[in-house]
Amino acid sequence: MPNIAFANIKGGSGKTTACSVLVSELYGAGGRVCIIEGDPNRPHARWAEGRGFPVIDGPKTTVGSTEDAAVAIRDAAGSSRLLVITTDGDEESLLDWIEAAGGWAQFVVTDPEGSPNNFLNIIVSQADLVLIPFAPTQLDVDQVQRTIKQIRSTERVANKKIDHQVLLTRANAGAVMTRDEREIRESIGKHNIPMLQVSLADRPAFRGMFKHKLLLNELTDEQANGLGRARENSRAFAAEVLQRLRRDDKRGAE
């Protein structure tokens, strides 16, 4: 069961959109997926409720152990292959929810609130892969450095290596990379920051998932423009993430 965390201590980085795009691909491929949401605004929960997927309100669900959390997940999920657990940044039962979700789902995807705190440290410490989305601006690049610094600190406390990759979001939707994007990729390369090759473009279809409360492959041409390109982008992103996880599994087995 891979645990994939999205992390960036700066808001507006495209973190929630990137998370939803990945979840849409994992679910669409037949996977059982649990989203653990730390944002008090609950965008994933509101999307899931609109689509008809089950949601567990973590703060209102008393669990005293991983076993309690596992029972709550089974009861709430029923026959659904997608479940959202809201935590609102509550640390008390977070590990129980993460461990129980790992026993139910094939993929656990965590989306914490975008701020540097202990909740984020816990999420990162349990992840097999941390994705750090950022928009193509110098301010976002600076915040990536801060996020990685926090991951390094968590590595020392957890006494383990935590794989992380930065992800360029809101990229130019055209075929040609803009000068700013090219310069930012070069800057990140010079700092030896690990980065996914695939970028997520700024596409109406990605925003359309939240607007229409649908998965990407459920949207129609009438609901969002450029669906074909958006789906190609989404598949390439998910494929690179899965390839990264498989590579890490092989390294762990050696």
Side-chain angles (χ1 to χ4, degrees):
M1 177 282 308
N3 183 321
I4 306 162
F6 285 80
N8 192 316
I9 61 176
K10 176 185 177 296
S13 63
K15 178 169 62 67
T16 297
T17 298
C19 178
S20 295
V21 169
L22 180 62
V23 166
S24 184
E25 286 297 324
L26 297 175
Y27 178 86
R32 186 182 296 115
V33 186
C34 180
I35 305 173
I36 298 180
E37 179 169 46
D39 187 343
N41 293 316
R42 303 185 173 189
H44 294 297
R46 286 186 279 110
W47 171 84
E49 288 169 344
R51 171 58 177 71
F53 289 122
V55 175
I56 294 177
D57 190 331
K60 293 183 180 179
T61 307
T62 303
V63 294
S65 65
T66 300
E67 289 72 22
D68 288 345
V71 171
I73 287 172
R74 288 197 301 270
D75 289 346
S79 60
S80 176
R81 289 190 291 108
L82 194 148
L83 170 72
V84 175
I85 302 172
T86 66
T87 60
D88 293 1
D90 178 22
E91 302 172 18
E92 186 173 351
S93 302
L94 182 56
L95 285 174
D96 289 329
W97 286 121
I98 292 174
E99 291 174 6
W104 175 81
Q106 292 168 294
F107 297 94
V108 176
V109 183
T110 55
D111 186 7
E113 184 181 7
S115 58
N117 52 36
N118 191 51
F119 183 89
L120 178 60
N121 289 336
I122 295 171
I123 290 289
V124 168
S125 72
Q126 301 303 301
D128 298 296
L129 175 63
V130 179
L131 298 175
I132 310 169
F134 74 103
T137 69
Q138 189 55 50
L139 178 59
D140 273 60
V141 172
D142 293 341
Q143 296 305 313
V144 163
Q145 304 258 23
R146 291 184 59 200
T147 303
I148 290 176
K149 185 176 181 180
Q150 182 156 356
I151 292 173
R152 298 294 189 202
S153 177
T154 304
E155 284 181 330
R156 294 177 66 182
V157 173
N159 194 30
K160 72 170 190 177
K161 197 74 173 172
I162 300 169
D163 188 17
H164 57 277
Q165 298 280 317
V166 299
L167 165 69
L168 180 61
T169 63
R170 299 182 177 174
N172 177 38
V176 179
M177 187 183 301
T178 66
R179 178 177 177 179
D180 286 346
E181 292 169 9
R182 184 170 60 254
E183 290 178 349
I184 283 172
R185 278 192 172 273
E186 290 172 355
S187 173
I188 284 178
K190 288 178 182 177
H191 287 89
N192 296 316
I193 297 174
M195 183 174 185
L196 295 181
Q197 292 299 309
V198 174
S199 300
L200 280 183
D202 186 11
R203 298 187 183 278
F206 296 157
R207 297 188 294 275
M209 290 191 296
F210 290 97
K211 179 180 179 180
H212 299 286
K213 306 294 191 297
L214 295 172
L215 295 159
L216 185 61
N217 63 6
E218 294 172 335
L219 290 170
T220 65
D221 291 328
E222 289 73 27
Q223 292 169 323
N225 294 327
L227 270 176
R229 291 289 182 87
R231 288 168 178 161
E232 288 176 7
N233 195 181
S234 178
R235 286 193 294 267
F237 167 49
E240 187 171 3
V241 170
L242 292 174
Q243 182 182 43
R244 184 79 200 180
L245 289 168
R246 286 192 291 268
R247 181 162 54 183
D248 289 344
D249 284 344
K250 288 179 181 178
R251 287 177 179 174
E254 292 176 353

